[in-house]
Amino acid sequence: MADTPKEEGIVKTVSDAPPSHYVVKIQSVSLLRNNIDQYISDAFDVGGYKWKLVIHPNGNKNKKVNDHISLYLKLADTSNLHPGWEVHAVIRLFLYDQKKDNYYVVQDAEEKTRRFRAMKEEWGYDRFIVLTEFNNVSNGYVVDDVCVFGVEVSVRKEIKFPGRDCLTLIQDPVEDKLSWEIKDLNFRKDCYESNALQYWKIQIYPKGYEGGKGTHVSVYLALAEAKPSTQIYAEFIVRMIDQSNSNHISSSKPEKCWFNATNAAFGWPKFISIEEFRKPEYGYLVNGSCRVEAEIKVLGMAEPDAMISNNSAHDCKEIILT
């Protein structure tokens, strides 16, 4: 076998032992080369993970390779892995010499581990073997238009990083206005909820809630959908509208708060006394109808982000100004 170009950190050897984990036998190699740029094998299990072998019979064009076969191992199913996961594995890729009954093997020197992760699910060799060497009939890599590739995987460890946030701070927040009219409000029902607007909904407790129960109408601003590990930082104000135009005002003070799955609502148990709310001259309750408005500015959001570099500190937050 002629020498292939040397690549730093890569060892190319010959082995009598076949690959212990997976083999792909390709019939009609000529048709593969002429019709398919990339072949991805079925999934196979090693070390508790599913893998696939990826073959570029004419070289990986995305890497500008056209004179070698490119061969890679891909982690096939990452849906059940912890956010921020890494799987460290040693890989050996094989090509069967059918004449000599041995295997051409490419692997990293000193059994270097490769880090499979969300940003890099595939590892291997852009220049696994020179195409002229592979196609040379004097060698035994292709016999009767058939060739055989294989792989061994040694999983060394899985790293599960703690959850991390990507915090986005909004430089020029847009104000949303949520306007809600409750018709046929009665004091038998404990709670009314508005329809959702963007991330938000309003809750009204006509008989009061928490510290205002029995004496006050309680009003809350709440997340329409409280997603786990997602936080929204908002500035907001809530008003109860005087429908009689007598210029009575019942309004909260401007507030700023982080909303999340465990703190999904912020409000005022004693927003307005039930006595005042029911007085006709104030116009808050007219023919069983009341109106509430909220003005909301989202100032920032923090969401899980497994894409942050795994070299960063475990409690790292990426700050993005928009």
Side-chain angles (χ1 to χ4, degrees):
M1 180 179 69
D3 289 337
T4 57
K6 291 185 178 179
E7 296 180 55
E8 186 176 353
I10 293 175
V11 176
K12 301 178 180 181
T13 59
V14 174
S15 172
D16 291 328
S20 58
H21 291 135
Y22 194 70
V23 167
V24 174
K25 181 179 181 180
I26 298 175
Q27 299 179 347
S28 302
V29 174
S30 57
L31 292 177
L32 177 73
R33 288 200 306 260
N34 294 331
N35 295 285
I36 298 176
D37 291 330
Q38 173 184 263
Y39 172 74
I40 302 176
S41 76
D42 287 336
F44 57 96
D45 295 308
V46 179
Y49 304 96
K50 291 187 179 297
W51 309 86
K52 291 184 178 182
L53 201 60
V54 181
I55 304 168
H56 295 259
N58 296 299
N60 188 343
K61 300 302 184 288
N62 291 330
K63 300 290 186 70
K64 298 182 179 180
V65 177
N66 52 30
D67 56 352
H68 285 69
I69 288 177
S70 302
L71 189 62
Y72 307 94
L73 179 67
K74 179 181 177 67
L75 193 55
D77 184 5
T78 63
S79 59
N80 294 324
L81 293 176
H82 189 281
W85 58 269
E86 282 186 4
V87 177
H88 291 222
V90 175
I91 62 175
R92 303 177 75 210
L93 298 178
F94 292 69
L95 175 61
Y96 184 41
D97 185 333
Q98 299 170 67
K99 290 185 176 179
K100 297 179 181 177
D101 191 27
N102 59 24
Y103 292 84
Y104 167 66
V105 182
V106 179
Q107 66 186 86
D108 293 302
E110 299 178 356
E111 294 194 340
K112 176 183 177 181
T113 59
R114 293 295 188 176
R115 296 167 53 220
F116 293 84
R117 56 197 190 280
M119 291 289 289
K120 184 70 174 178
E121 297 180 354
E122 184 177 286
W123 281 103
Y125 306 102
D126 300 333
R127 293 171 174 81
F128 176 75
I129 188 170
V130 179
L131 275 171
T132 53
E133 200 64 37
F134 174 77
N135 294 322
N136 191 330
V137 294
S138 64
N139 297 319
Y141 303 126
V142 181
V143 176
D144 296 329
D145 214 20
V146 172
C147 71
V148 178
F149 293 95
V151 62
E152 287 183 352
V153 190
S154 177
V155 176
R156 296 298 171 88
K157 61 182 176 180
E158 177 186 336
I159 296 177
K160 299 179 180 179
F161 288 103
R164 292 164 295 182
D165 287 343
C166 173
L167 174 63
T168 303
L169 302 177
I170 300 172
Q171 193 170 40
D172 298 308
V174 176
E175 184 175 83
D176 290 319
K177 190 171 184 178
L178 198 166
S179 183
W180 178 36
E181 181 179 2
I182 309 172
K183 296 182 179 181
D184 300 321
L185 182 144
N186 64 71
F187 287 82
R188 294 186 299 274
K189 187 172 180 178
D190 289 331
C191 180
Y192 291 83
E193 276 193 354
S194 72
N195 292 328
L197 172 68
Q198 294 282 44
Y199 309 107
W200 310 103
K201 62 185 177 182
I202 298 173
Q203 299 170 334
I204 290 183
Y205 295 81
K207 296 186 291 184
Y209 184 67
E210 296 178 325
K213 196 166 186 177
T215 61
H216 288 73
V217 176
S218 305
V219 180
Y220 291 79
L221 180 68
L223 288 175
E225 182 183 1
K227 297 180 179 179
S229 303
T230 296
Q231 298 191 79
I232 299 176
Y233 186 52
E235 180 179 27
F236 53 94
I237 187 169
V238 175
R239 299 185 183 92
M240 190 167 287
I241 305 303
D242 175 1
Q243 300 177 79
S244 66
N245 296 317
S246 55
N247 297 318
H248 292 97
I249 298 174
S250 182
S251 174
S252 71
K253 294 179 180 180
E255 301 282 356
K256 291 181 181 179
C257 181
W258 280 102
F259 291 82
N260 51 49
T262 57
N263 185 39
F266 183 95
W268 303 266
K270 298 182 179 181
F271 188 84
I272 185 174
S273 72
I274 295 174
E275 181 183 4
E276 185 177 347
F277 176 69
R278 299 184 73 163
K279 284 184 177 180
E281 62 266 29
Y282 284 97
Y284 299 128
L285 184 63
V286 177
N287 297 324
S289 170
C290 81
R291 288 180 56 202
V292 182
E293 290 182 351
E295 294 175 359
I296 310 157
K297 290 181 181 179
V298 175
L299 305 179
M301 295 185 69
E303 298 180 281
D305 193 347
M307 308 299 283
I308 299 173
S309 169
N310 289 329
N311 293 324
S312 59
H314 290 176
D315 60 350
C316 170
K317 288 190 177 182
E318 179 182 15
I319 307 299
I320 306 172
L321 295 179
T322 60

